[in-house]
Amino acid sequence: MQTLADIGEDELIRRIVRKLPQGESVLAGPGDDCAVVHSARTPQVLKTDTVVEGVHFTTETPGRLVGRKAMARVISDFAAMAATPRHALVTLIAPPQTAVKRVLDVYTGLQALATEFGVSIVGGETSKGQQLILTIGLSGHVTGPKWIARSQARAGDHLYVTGKLGGSIRSKHLRFHPRMAEAHWLAEHLPIRAMMDISDGLAQDLPRLASASGLGFQVDLADLPRTPGCTPEQAWGDGEDYELLIALSPKTTAKQLTAWAQAFPKLKLTRIGKLVEKDQAPLVPSGGWQHFRSA
């Protein structure tokens, strides 16, 4: 009998979404950082994300940082589509013996980041379970003329990443700041074709972006911007960086890139490779994180 460990996360998702109903109101369904649906004024953006004790944090992780990470992850997905989050629902699952202070600390972390990004926590659910689990459902809207998808890239587009990659386990995975302002600036000022956030490692997420556009990619690991002390292999496969991965038109000018450096002088935008026709670079992910099995 085939198990989830045999097929991994990506193949499971492909099989699940094959026959899911998609009505006329759906503008972007499964397969991107967020879903996009019709609404009265501007397209509505929807996303859920879950953090699980023992997978995304430990029993020793301070509750405030658990809540912060749960909210930051889903806001990062909104950033990846240059969308604006507005309302959140929180589902909390916890063992009955969990200290009340730990749960209140979790909500302190949730609320702090939600307030920073203009998100209202409007409700949710609680339930008993074997471990602490938080699920955030977030809704918002598209603020520009078009959201940024993964699937509009073209062969020849240049690949860029923000910041530095690798070594997130040292604490960055708990304290990262979603690249919301940066994503909206990029969408407004540069010719972006596709974008996503790097959550499962460049080794997994770059093939996903390329595959969404029916393309392959070429990357030199030596070109990856690395967190001090990290190897190129760690920058490629560690995961939970939550930086932006961007496909830019090759017509992007030096003047446009200089404008980025002036707008965000402390955050480097690094070219790491390019997208190519699929037959020039078959998609063979190696490294990174997949649920249910090691990549």
Side-chain angles (χ1 to χ4, degrees), residues 24 71 85 95 165 248 284:
E24 293 182 359
M71 185 62 70
L165 308 179
L248 286 179
V284 186

Side-chain angles (χ1 to χ4, degrees), residues 13-23 26 29-31:
I13 292 172
R14 275 192 287 270
R15 297 187 189 187
I16 288 174
V17 304
R18 258 179 218 155
K19 297 182 179 180
L20 292 181
Q22 303 290 314
V26 179

Side-chain angles (χ1 to χ4, degrees), residues 40-278:
R41 294 183 179 179
T42 183
Q44 186 178 22
V45 183
L46 306 168
K47 175 65 180 180
T48 64
D49 198 89
T50 299
V51 294
V52 179
E53 187 177 84
V55 178
H56 302 99
F57 60 92
T58 71
T59 56
E60 303 302 316
T61 303
R64 178 181 59 82
L65 294 181
V66 173
R68 187 191 185 284
K69 178 174 182 174
M71 185 62 70
R73 280 167 56 97
V74 69
I75 290 174
S76 181
D77 284 318
F78 267 66
M81 297 186 77
T84 299
R86 280 291 175 258
H87 301 101
L89 296 169
V90 179
T91 297
L92 169 74
I93 298 173
Q97 65 270 24
T98 303
V100 172
K101 183 180 185 304
R102 179 163 176 77
V103 174
L104 294 179
D105 285 347
V106 166
Y107 274 80
T108 296
L110 283 168
Q111 185 62 53
L113 205 68
T115 299
E116 179 180 349
F117 286 92
V119 173
S120 298
I121 299 176
V122 295
E125 179 63 279
T126 58
S127 180
K128 178 177 71 173
Q130 298 301 309
Q131 63 203 114
L132 182 61
I133 300 172
L134 276 174
T135 296
I136 312 297
L138 194 59
S139 67
H141 59 268
V142 176
T143 50
K146 181 71 174 176
W147 65 93
I148 307 298
R150 299 180 185 179
S151 58
Q152 302 303 307
R154 305 175 193 172
D157 284 351
H158 295 172
L159 292 167
Y160 285 81
V161 295
T162 59
K164 297 179 180 180
L165 308 179
S168 63
I169 193 64
R170 298 172 189 170
S171 77
K172 180 182 177 182
H173 75 106
L174 295 172
R175 302 177 186 273
F176 71 92
H177 196 266
R179 301 298 190 192
M180 182 64 70
E182 296 87 344
H184 282 272
W185 189 97
L186 287 164
E188 182 178 350
H189 293 92
L190 295 185
I192 294 181
R193 297 266 176 75
M195 184 163 64
M196 67 183 296
D197 72 332
I198 303 171
S199 56
D200 292 333
L202 196 60
Q204 291 294 326
D205 290 329
L206 175 51
R208 288 168 181 161
L209 183 142
S211 179
S213 296
L215 299 171
F217 60 88
Q218 294 176 354
V219 169
D220 187 340
L221 294 191
D223 292 335
L224 300 183
R226 305 191 298 276
T227 302
C230 287
T231 66
E233 289 73 23
Q234 288 171 320
W236 174 245
D238 272 1
E240 291 211 287
D241 292 301
Y242 301 102
E243 296 292 350
L244 297 173
L245 169 63
I246 307 142
L248 286 179
S249 164
K251 295 182 180 179
T252 304
T253 66
K255 183 178 180 180
Q256 288 172 313
L257 295 174
T258 298
W260 163 272
Q262 293 170 341
F264 302 98
K266 295 183 179 180
L267 186 68
K268 191 173 181 182
L269 188 64
T270 303
R271 183 180 171 185
I272 62 169
K274 65 179 180 179
L275 292 167
V276 298
E277 297 295 346
K278 197 167 184 177

